[in-house]
Amino acid sequence: DQQVKQNSPSLSVQEGRISILNCDYTNSMFDYFLWYKKYPAEGPTFLISISSIKDKNEDGRFTVFLNKSAKHLSLHIVPSQPGDSAVYFCAASADSNYKLTFGKGTLLTVNP
Amino acid sequence: EAQVTQNPRYLITVTGKKLTVTCSQNMNHEYMSWYRQDPGLGLRQIYYSMNVEVTDKGDVPEGYKVSRKEKRNFPLILESPSPNQTSLYFCASSLGAGGPYEQYFGPGTRLTVT
């Protein structure tokens, strides 16, 4: 049973436009959500996170929105740049355990 | 430089031949973890360790062993590798477990079992 779902395997956007990556979860015990970015031949790197007590967190061009009632979060990248082209993983954790559950990832391609 | 290192980076082996993938971090992190990445399946947690001598199963622990005898090292052991363990493996570490603690990942080990 997949607890963190990224239903779009890929997304293509034009440079300068907004990229919106979506993530849904099923476990209501999740209380912290993180986004990681992964380039080919490298390990994932942390991008941004949000606690369940918030509905928005912003860091430069990256903003994560959390809708707890819908069990949905999204990552917005504005403006998108070609260097943002990577696989983006959504991840979630629950305070009650120490596991981190990842989604399958979304490949973002930003075209110049 | 703060980092997580893994060795080897690439490994081709045969079914049943025991192997160990090493992982080391220099950030004095309490928490360490192993993941495997497979096409269409994303990252799945194999084992994690809260501290020295404290380990627990992740989502896909079958066929793997770990040990945490020192804080900085967290080796992954495949006692009898099988072809379905062909995968890309990542070690990660973080200051604490869960919550806001971001995990730092190693560069990955690509394992092929024939």
Side-chain angles (χ1 to χ4, degrees):
Chain A
D1 177 35
Q2 198 181 357
Q3 298 186 65
V4 177
K5 300 177 185 178
Q6 294 178 257
N7 292 319
S8 299
S10 63
L11 174 68
S12 183
V13 301
Q14 285 299 120
E15 181 178 6
R17 299 288 188 103
I18 184 172
S19 295
I20 300 176
L21 295 98
N22 293 304
C23 178
D24 298 293
Y25 62 96
T26 58
N27 187 343
S28 58
M29 299 300 290
F30 286 147
D31 55 9
Y32 220 88
F33 304 89
L34 307 93
W35 285 93
Y36 285 81
K37 180 167 75 172
K38 185 183 180 304
Y39 293 117
E42 294 182 13
T45 54
F46 171 75
L47 191 58
I48 192 169
S49 63
I50 188 167
S51 162
S52 61
I53 63 172
K54 294 187 173 183
D55 54 19
K56 177 182 174 182
N57 188 26
E58 195 171 351
D59 184 2
R61 296 186 297 114
F62 302 92
T63 303
V64 56
F65 296 91
L66 175 62
N67 182 333
K68 280 188 67 177
S69 60
K71 293 191 175 68
H72 176 82
L73 62 155
S74 60
L75 174 68
H76 293 212
I77 306 173
V78 184
S80 301
Q81 299 173 355
D84 296 329
S85 297
V87 176
Y88 289 78
F89 290 101
C90 172
S93 68
D95 216 20
S96 55
N97 69 49
Y98 306 109
K99 298 199 307 186
L100 189 61
T101 302
F102 283 82
K104 293 182 179 181
T106 296
L107 173 63
L108 173 66
T109 302
V110 180
N111 302 301
Chain B
E1 180 191 354
Q3 60 182 352
V4 177
T5 56
Q6 296 178 226
N7 282 293
R9 294 288 313 277
Y10 302 90
L11 180 60
I12 301 174
T13 190
V14 296
T15 299
K17 186 176 181 182
K18 180 179 178 180
L19 67 92
T20 299
V21 183
T22 64
C23 173
S24 182
Q25 50 94 4
N26 63 0
M27 296 169 278
N28 201 35
H29 283 169
E30 301 282 335
Y31 183 93
M32 296 186 74
S33 183
W34 277 101
Y35 297 87
R36 60 179 287 175
Q37 184 187 6
D38 301 289
L41 296 176
L43 285 160
R44 295 180 293 167
Q45 194 169 37
I46 303 171
Y47 270 95
Y48 61 92
S49 169
M50 298 293 298
N51 210 328
V52 175
E53 302 294 0
V54 181
T55 63
D56 205 350
K57 296 176 181 178
D59 294 318
V60 288
E62 296 77 19
Y64 304 95
K65 283 177 58 177
V66 293
S67 70
R68 187 97 181 269
K69 294 185 170 57
E70 305 167 282
K71 197 172 187 179
R72 63 182 292 128
N73 296 323
F74 190 43
L76 179 69
I77 303 156
L78 284 72
E79 295 268 2
S80 183
S82 62
N84 65 12
Q85 292 178 296
T86 292
S87 187
L88 180 57
Y89 291 87
F90 291 101
C91 179
S93 73
S94 59
L95 202 56
Y101 297 108
E102 63 174 278
Q103 293 195 17
Y104 294 80
F105 283 80
T109 295
R110 184 165 292 282
L111 172 66
T112 302
V113 184
T114 61

